[in-house]
Amino acid sequence: MTTTSVYHEGERSVQQAAGEAATADRNGAVIANTILGGARPFLQKQSMAVLASVDAAGAPWATLLFGESGFIHADTAAAIAIDVPEERRDPLDPFWANVAANPALGMLFIELGSRRRYRINGSLTRLDAGGFEVAVREAYPNCPRYIQRRQLRGMDDATLPALLDEGSTLDGEVCGLVRRADTLFVASNHAQTGADASHRGGNPGFVQVLGDGLLRMPDYAGNSLFNTFGNLVLDPRVGLCIPDFDGQRLLQIGGRARILHGQDDPLGLTGGTGRFWEIEVERWLLRRTPRRLAWEYLDASPFNPATAEA
């Protein structure tokens, strides 16, 4: 696979707008159409999967699935399976209806405690009572920056799905949850190449709530691939998943994004990129995590720029 073949037109346009096309060509060498042999043991260790799925209307949603180590496995380099028995599934999570309607899946396997992550995109080939399998289209490691270290110390057997609240405007406790966030996950989609899942992190306050339906985030320097932004310039529909680590909740947001290049940034909120992105919130769901999780916070990324609150 050559570096000129791994990017679609949206990714190329953002790379060029950022002046990072040459860097993207060099870094694109990490993208493969199979899972690296050394990544397969890493995947099998994980207890959390970040998933981007697409609903029947074409809108992406981000979610998290949890299980004991081994529930994720890549028995070959060309496919990955996630074992989630039917009784462990939260029917209130849009993910399960989405994969029944659309085979596109983006996956991110992130070990918060070690700041390691691996990204896989592909298409669903199996969905049954035991779980699902995905044929790999592209797979590659991501850099460790902007990840707040947390260790998952325990996970019980309770299955307690509940939709706690939903709406279209951000207010009250939901607004506070967004403003306190230091970790979130993003789902985007490209009509031909499929769904993608990515991570964003920063110090609490890096996500600004500008109104009851508008979020603003800085875009920090990364690997120059611009997979998420490349999808969003072609299809602005976006999904966010914000975990409330202490409160055993997941906030899922669907909306539309726009990317802002060359912005004034006197406080250095973007870490020097001058890029922000804004999300018009259209719908949100606040769900209880289907299993009780005991997270221990370790430390923040040393790469996080300051926030407006700081």
Side-chain angles (χ1 to χ4, degrees):
M1 208 180 257
T2 63
T3 54
T4 56
S5 69
V6 297
Y7 301 121
H8 60 64
E9 67 276 23
E11 292 162 333
R12 271 302 189 204
S13 70
V14 181
Q15 292 162 6
Q16 291 163 357
E20 298 180 32
T23 305
D25 281 342
R26 291 193 298 272
N27 292 345
V30 303
I31 301 175
N33 58 8
T34 56
I35 300 169
L36 289 172
R40 288 162 67 184
F42 168 77
L43 295 170
Q44 189 152 348
K45 288 173 53 182
Q46 301 313 305
S47 298
M48 180 179 78
V50 182
L51 299 166
S53 61
V54 182
D55 68 19
W61 287 86
T63 195
L64 305 179
L65 296 182
F66 298 93
E68 287 79 12
S69 293
F71 91 114
I72 301 162
H73 50 100
D75 300 324
T76 73
I80 185 164
I82 300 182
D83 299 334
V84 185
E86 286 183 326
E87 63 270 18
R88 287 287 187 197
R89 299 174 192 174
D90 182 354
L92 304 170
D93 186 345
F95 175 80
W96 297 106
N98 293 354
V99 292
N102 192 316
L105 276 179
M107 297 170 284
L108 177 68
F109 304 98
I110 182 167
E111 190 172 74
L112 298 175
S114 67
R115 296 193 171 109
R116 294 178 63 195
R117 50 184 161 173
Y118 199 76
R119 202 157 164 172
I120 299 176
N121 297 330
S123 295
L124 190 77
T125 56
R126 174 179 62 85
L127 175 64
D128 57 29
F132 58 93
E133 185 168 289
V134 178
V136 175
R137 183 180 63 80
E138 60 181 13
Y140 52 102
N142 278 173
C143 77
R145 284 182 287 181
Y146 318 120
I147 297 174
Q148 310 348 305
R149 286 200 310 141
R150 284 180 170 87
Q151 196 71 39
L152 183 58
R153 298 298 187 190
M155 175 167 49
D156 73 9
D157 291 334
T159 302
L160 302 169
L163 179 62
L164 301 174
D165 204 355
E166 61 183 315
S168 58
T169 59
L170 298 173
D171 53 19
E173 175 56 20
V174 171
C175 187
L177 195 159
V178 174
R179 287 183 165 134
R180 294 191 301 271
D182 61 21
T183 301
L184 62 84
F185 302 101
V186 185
S188 61
N189 186 53
H190 182 275
Q192 282 74 51
T193 63
D196 180 81
S198 63
H199 161 271
R200 293 292 189 277
N203 292 329
F206 86 107
V207 185
Q208 295 176 282
V209 182
L210 301 184
D212 59 10
L214 183 64
L215 306 179
R216 193 179 208 223
M217 282 186 280
D219 184 54
Y220 304 145
N223 57 15
S224 303
L225 306 186
F226 292 107
N227 305 117
T228 300
F229 277 12
N231 286 348
L232 294 177
V233 297
L234 299 178
D235 184 343
R237 291 176 293 183
V238 66
L240 304 181
C241 182
I242 301 177
D244 176 11
F245 293 101
D246 296 327
Q248 308 290 320
R249 298 177 297 177
L250 297 175
L251 175 62
Q252 292 168 280
I253 296 173
R256 291 179 178 267
R258 68 184 185 118
I259 301 162
L260 307 171
H261 293 275
Q263 302 297 296
D264 290 334
D265 184 18
L267 298 178
L269 303 182
T270 65
T273 69
R275 284 189 306 272
F276 290 89
W277 54 311
E278 293 181 346
I279 296 169
E280 289 278 358
V281 175
E282 296 178 340
R283 183 187 176 202
W284 58 264
L285 308 172
L286 183 63
R287 296 172 36 240
R288 182 184 292 127
T289 56
R291 304 180 73 170
R292 294 190 188 94
L293 307 167
W295 291 98
E296 179 187 359
Y297 176 83
L298 300 177
D299 55 31
S301 171
F303 296 99
N304 290 345
T307 64
E309 284 77 2

